[in-house]
Amino acid sequence: MSESTPAIILDCDPGHDDVVAIVAAARHTDLLGITTVAGNAPLDRTTYNARVMRDLLGLEVEVHSGAAGPLVVAPAFAGYVHGESGLDGAELPEPTTPLDGTDAARFIVDTIHARPGCHLVVTGPMTNIALALVQDPSIRDDLAGISFMGGGTFGNRTPTAEFNIWADPHAARVVVDSGIPLIMAGLDVTHQFQATSDRIDRVRAIGGPLATVLSDLFTFFSANYRERHDDLEGAAVHDPLAVLALTHPSLFSVAERFVAVVDSGELTRGMTVVDRRTLVDRPTPNCRVLETVDAPAAWDVIVEAIAAARG
Ligand code: RIB
Ligand code: CA
C-alpha cells in the first residue's frame, strides 16, 4: 500500500497518462477534486475524458473545468500523440455524472483553504494553477506543495521544452517562481517508466471494463510512441509519477535543484533550466527533482490500483 495518503487536488488534461494518474490518485490519495485544463486536447475534450474516468472508477469526486487556453501564447494541443479526442484507442462509456463547475481556479482556491496541508498535483499545462495564484496568493500559506509532471533537461515538444511547460510557459513560470515547495517529474524520470507490451498484458489480464479500456488506451499510446521514437519500447507514462512521488516516495531518487522556466525564444520557449552545478555558491534549490524511478515496482503499484478499482 502507499507510504502516505496525501489530500490532493488533481489538475489534468486527460490524456492517456493523465488517466493513469487519476487511477493512482483514486487508490492512494484523499482525492479532493479533479480540475481540467486544455492541453492534450481542447478543454471540452479533456473535461469529457475526466468525467468518463470518474464514472468508470465510480468516484464520488467533483470535476471542475478550467482554462480553455494559455495565459499569453496561442492554444496548442497534442492530437499527434493522444488523438483528436485526447483519448483515442478505446471504446469509452458515455459519462453520466454532470460537471460540477467551470471555474477551476476558484475551486482550487476554495479547496486549498478548506483543507490546509493539501497538495496540488498538476499533470497538464499550469494555467489553472497560475490563475489560482493570481486570484488568491494566500493559497501559498495553506498549500503543502505542488507535485507536477513537466519539464526536464531535454524536451519532447521542442528540443528544449516538454509539452506541459511549452503549452503555457508563462503559467509555468508563475508556478515555478512562486516559492511553493515543488516536486518535478520531468522527462528524465518519466521516460524510464514505459508501457511496454508485457506491462500492458499484465493490465489486460486483470479483466473487467476498466482494465480493458486502459489496456486498449495503453496499446494505442505505446504504438504512437514506438512509431515516433527509435529508442522507446512503449509510451512514457508520465503523469502518474507526479502522484506516486507523494504516495510512494521510496520508488524515486531525488535531487534538490534550482529550476527556472524560460517563457520565450524561438528555441527556448518552455525550457526548464535545471541547475545541476555542484558549486558551493549555486542558487538555493526551489524544487525536488525526481531523477530515477524503480519502474517495475511503480508498474506493480499501477496494476494493483487498477485491480482494486475493478471492484
Ligand atoms: O509531455 C508529457 C505531458 O504532456 C504529459 O502530461 C502528457 O499527458 C501531456 O500533457
Ligand atoms: Ca497530461
Side-chain angles (χ1 to χ4, degrees), residues 11-19 21 37 39-40 82 122-125 149 162-164 238-239:
D11 186 76
C12 55
D13 64 333
H16 292 71
D17 51 331
D18 300 77
V19 158
V37 65
N40 284 322
H82 298 275
V122 187
T123 64
M149 190 279 137
E162 176 279 326
F163 175 79
N164 287 339
H238 310 277
D239 293 337

Side-chain angles (χ1 to χ4, degrees), residues 107-149:
F107 174 79
I108 288 167
V109 168
D110 293 346
T111 304
I112 290 170
H113 286 318
R115 291 292 299 268
C118 72
H119 281 82
L120 271 170
V121 176
V122 187
T123 64
M126 298 185 174
T127 318
N128 291 334
I129 316 310
L131 291 172
L133 277 165
V134 169
Q135 191 178 118
D136 183 351
S138 73
I139 57 174
R140 284 174 179 76
D141 306 331
D142 286 335
L143 196 55
I146 297 174
S147 182
F148 70 94
M149 190 279 137

Side-chain angles (χ1 to χ4, degrees), residues 2 39 49 53 56 67 80 109 146 153-154 206 208 227 273 297 303 308:
S2 54
N49 295 336
M53 281 315 298
L56 203 53
Y80 59 93
V109 168
I146 297 174
T153 61
F154 58 94
I206 295 168
E227 188 182 306
V273 179
V303 169

Side-chain angles (χ1 to χ4, degrees), residues 18 20 42 163 168 187 218 223 233 297:
D18 300 77
V20 187
F163 175 79
D168 193 342
L187 296 178
F218 281 135
E233 292 175 40

Side-chain angles (χ1 to χ4, degrees), residues 199-260:
R199 288 176 178 163
I200 297 173
D201 290 346
R202 283 184 61 195
V203 173
R204 193 173 297 281
I206 295 168
L210 175 65
T212 300
V213 165
L214 291 177
S215 46
D216 288 346
L217 290 173
F218 281 135
T219 301
F220 171 92
F221 196 30
S222 287
N224 174 284
Y225 261 71
R226 280 195 296 272
E227 188 182 306
R228 293 190 305 114
H229 296 79
D230 56 18
D231 64 338
L232 298 181
E233 292 175 40
V237 190
H238 310 277
D239 293 337
L241 298 191
V243 176
L244 298 190
L246 294 175
T247 61
H248 297 75
S250 65
L251 292 176
F252 302 92
S253 68
V254 181
E256 300 282 349
R257 304 284 189 205
F258 176 77
V259 177

